[in-house]
Structures are given as structure tokens and as C-alpha cells.
């Protein structure tokens, strides 16, 4: 019995001295795999739509002026119509109305007739320059819509005119 006790004591002492070997510390030698950067799907970015189409406005058309009691075109009127024809050729979808006007002198009927003759003279000139007749219409306002009020030659000369109005673009 003494022998067994002695052996047990030796084993207990050896166990105390040497004990269990320490657990190896986990080493983290393994690095996580590096993921290559993923490309985000690019949205189909479209540049903003810029309407670079040229625009036209009524202010670009020139007014045609006439002498007293006349509807024949003066040289300055023909130059204005040449410029207006250029605009109409540049914008082939534009349809215009030529408005004939008169000064306050004359009867209403006479001025309506004279305003129409002035507008038709402008239209026929444009037709001669190649502008299709279906793109131009005429109307006479006689003395009803003066550009300038007054009863002197300065006002009258500005009221004897044809103006261009855009009907359709």
C-alpha cells in the first residue's frame, strides 16, 4: 500500500510540475482574402438634352413701310422683305400672316382695302422669292391698330405698314 501511495505521490508531483501543456494560442496567420474592388454598374448617364435648334420670333421680322396712299413697295420695303424671306427659308415650317395697316386718313372702307393691297404686295413679293403661297396669309386692319398715336406725318408714316405675325412654327 505504501508503494501505491508513493507512486501516486510521484505522479501527482510530476503532474503539478509539468501539468498539461499550454494550449497553443490560435495564430491568425491566415489573412482574409482581399476582394478586388467590384465595379458598380454604371448607370447609363445621358448628357442633358440641349435644344440647339435655332428659334425664331416675330421680332426678327422686319416691318415694311409705305408712302401715303400707295401700296407699291419701296426699295427699303423690298430690302425688309428680302430679309424676311431669308428667315422664312431658314425656318421652312413657319407660317406667317402679313397684317396691312394704314394711317388715319381716308374712310374705313378705303383704308381696309389699301391695307389689304399692301399686305398682298408683300405676299406676292415673297412668293416671287420662292416662299410658298400656303405659308403666307394676309389680313387688313386698315386704321384700326395704329403703331403710333398722333395726327402728324411722323405718326402717319409709322402707321402705313405691314407687320409679320407668326401663325405656326
Amino acid at each position: 500500500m505504501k508503494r501505491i501511495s508513493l507512486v501516486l505521490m510521484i505522479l501527482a508531483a510530476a503532474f503539478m510540475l509539468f501539468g498539461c501543456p499550454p494550449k497553443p494560442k490560435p495564430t491568425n496567420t491566415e489573412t482574409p482574402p482581399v476582394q478586388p474592388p467590384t465595379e458598380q454598374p454604371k448607370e447609363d448617364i445621358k448628357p442633358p438634352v440641349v435644344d440647339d435648334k435655332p428659334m425664331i420670333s416675330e421680332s426678327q421680322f422686319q416691318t415694311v413701310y409705305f408712302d401715303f396712299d400707295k401700296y407699291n413697295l419701296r426699295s427699303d420695303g423690298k430690302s425688309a422683305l428680302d430679309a424676311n424671306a431669308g428667315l422664312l427659308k431658314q425656318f421652312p415650317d413657319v407660317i406667317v400672316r402679313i397684317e396691312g395697316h394704314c394711317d388715319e386718313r381716308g374712310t374705313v372702307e378705303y383704308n381696309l382695302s389699301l391695307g389689304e393691297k399692301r399686305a398682298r404686295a408683300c405676299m406676292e413679293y415673297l412668293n416671287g422669292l420662292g416662299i410658298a403661297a400656303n405659308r403666307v396669309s394676309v389680313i387688313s386692319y386698315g386704321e384700326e391698330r395704329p403703331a403710333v398715336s398722333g395726327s402728324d406725318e411722323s405718326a402717319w408714316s409709322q402707321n402705313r405698314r405691314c407687320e409679320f405675325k407668326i401663325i405656326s412654327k
Side-chain angles (χ1 to χ4, degrees), residues 54-128:
M55 302 291 290
I56 187 170
S57 69
E58 288 179 354
S59 64
Q60 293 175 277
F61 286 97
Q62 296 183 21
T63 301
V64 179
Y65 295 98
F66 294 87
D67 291 328
F68 173 69
D69 202 26
K70 303 282 185 190
Y71 60 91
N72 58 316
L73 296 170
R74 303 185 314 207
S75 61
D76 61 332
K78 290 178 181 177
S79 297
L81 288 170
D82 290 341
N84 293 347
L87 283 173
L88 290 169
K89 288 178 181 176
Q90 184 180 355
F91 297 94
D93 296 332
V94 171
I95 297 174
V96 295
R97 179 180 61 222
I98 302 173
E99 298 178 348
H101 299 272
C102 299
D103 62 31
E104 65 186 7
R105 297 173 287 180
T107 65
V108 171
E109 296 81 17
Y110 179 80
N111 284 338
L112 285 172
S113 176
L114 182 59
E116 183 175 340
K117 289 177 182 175
R118 289 174 175 167
R120 288 199 179 280
C122 291
M123 183 177 74
E124 290 169 4
Y125 188 85
L126 290 175
N127 294 154

Side-chain angles (χ1 to χ4, degrees), residues 32-50:
V34 177
Q35 297 288 331
T38 58
E39 289 189 27
Q40 297 292 327
K42 293 181 181 176
E43 290 184 28
D44 190 17
I45 300 173
K46 296 178 181 175
V49 177
V50 177

